Amino acid sequence: MANELDDVLGAVGPRLRALRTERNLTLGEVSASSGISVSTLSRLESGQRRPNLEILLPLAQLYGVPLDDLVGAPPTGDPRIHMRPITHAGMTAVPLTRRPGGLQAFKMVLDGGARGAEPDPRVHEGYEWLYILNGRLRLVLGEKDFELRAGEAAEFDTRTPHWFASADGKPVEFISLFGQQGERMHIRARPKSS
């Protein structure tokens, strides 16, 4: 049992190094984002330090992978994907992507009373694309006020003051794609002609 545990923990370092390399990150960048010192990260990757949950949890979050992937847990044979929803103030976000950086996809569900009726526009860096699955979404974008229905989409620079909520007090479901500033969706409406 002890040898098996040593083998599992010994394989964590190479996995951490591979994840960092795949994402083109330096030890310094990982340290700045995770709060773990460069020397600790270096010793982990080289196998000179034994990993623990206090270190592995922030790294799994930073790299956007389940903890099981870091420790090489054996597959369970269960094909279901277990997405962890985030719920806050009547809004539930289910992450559909699991990688840091680049476009991020979420399924969003707003309950009918989420966010109130009085707009409170916010701004932040990025670019957002919304596609309404069910219900009606009120989108305030700058000085304009829109109502989006199922099957409609919107895209906007998030530096424009924006706010959204249910348009009719009933739940709304939509897909949200969010990218860093300047990173926009590219949609082809019809096949490229030959």
Side-chain angles (χ1 to χ4, degrees):
M1 184 72 163
N3 286 341
E4 191 176 310
L5 180 61
D6 287 339
D7 290 346
V8 167
L9 294 176
V12 171
R15 285 190 190 91
L16 289 172
R17 182 179 299 113
L19 286 166
R20 182 176 57 79
T21 304
E22 282 173 17
R23 287 155 175 78
N24 295 317
L25 296 171
T26 65
L27 285 171
E29 290 168 330
V30 173
S31 174
S33 296
S34 68
I36 301 167
S37 73
V38 170
S39 64
T40 297
L41 291 168
S42 177
R43 290 193 329 261
L44 276 171
E45 288 187 4
S46 66
Q48 296 173 0
R49 175 164 178 163
R50 195 173 175 125
N52 61 40
L53 279 177
E54 188 177 338
I55 292 172
L56 292 178
L57 287 173
L59 291 174
Q61 184 176 18
L62 173 70
Y63 293 133
V65 298
L67 187 59
D68 288 355
D69 288 1
L70 290 183
V71 296
T76 63
D78 186 347
R80 295 174 292 183
I81 297 171
H82 302 282
M83 299 178 288
R84 291 183 174 86
I86 303 157
T87 301
H88 177 70
M91 180 169 48
T92 301
V94 180
L96 301 176
T97 52
R98 298 188 328 173
R99 65 181 178 88
L103 286 174
Q104 299 294 316
F106 298 89
K107 178 180 179 189
M108 308 287 289
V109 180
L110 295 176
D111 72 26
R115 313 189 82 173
E118 198 57 40
D120 181 21
R122 304 288 170 98
V123 298
H124 52 89
E125 289 294 317
Y127 202 85
E128 190 158 359
W129 182 86
L130 308 172
Y131 179 80
I132 311 306
L133 297 169
N134 291 302
R136 296 173 21 209
L137 182 78
R138 179 179 178 200
L139 171 64
V140 174
L141 192 56
E143 299 296 318
K144 298 181 179 175
D145 199 331
F146 301 94
E147 184 176 304
L148 303 172
R149 296 172 183 261
E152 293 185 309
E155 63 178 331
F156 54 92
D157 185 322
T158 56
R159 290 179 298 180
T160 303
H162 60 283
W163 175 88
F164 50 81
S166 171
D168 59 4
K170 296 178 182 171
V172 183
E173 295 179 84
F174 59 97
I175 300 293
S176 172
L177 298 180
F178 175 79
Q180 300 302 314
Q181 188 54 41
E183 194 168 11
R184 299 177 66 162
M185 283 290 302
H186 298 285
I187 301 171
R188 179 167 287 148
R190 58 180 170 263
K192 193 173 176 181
S193 57
S194 307

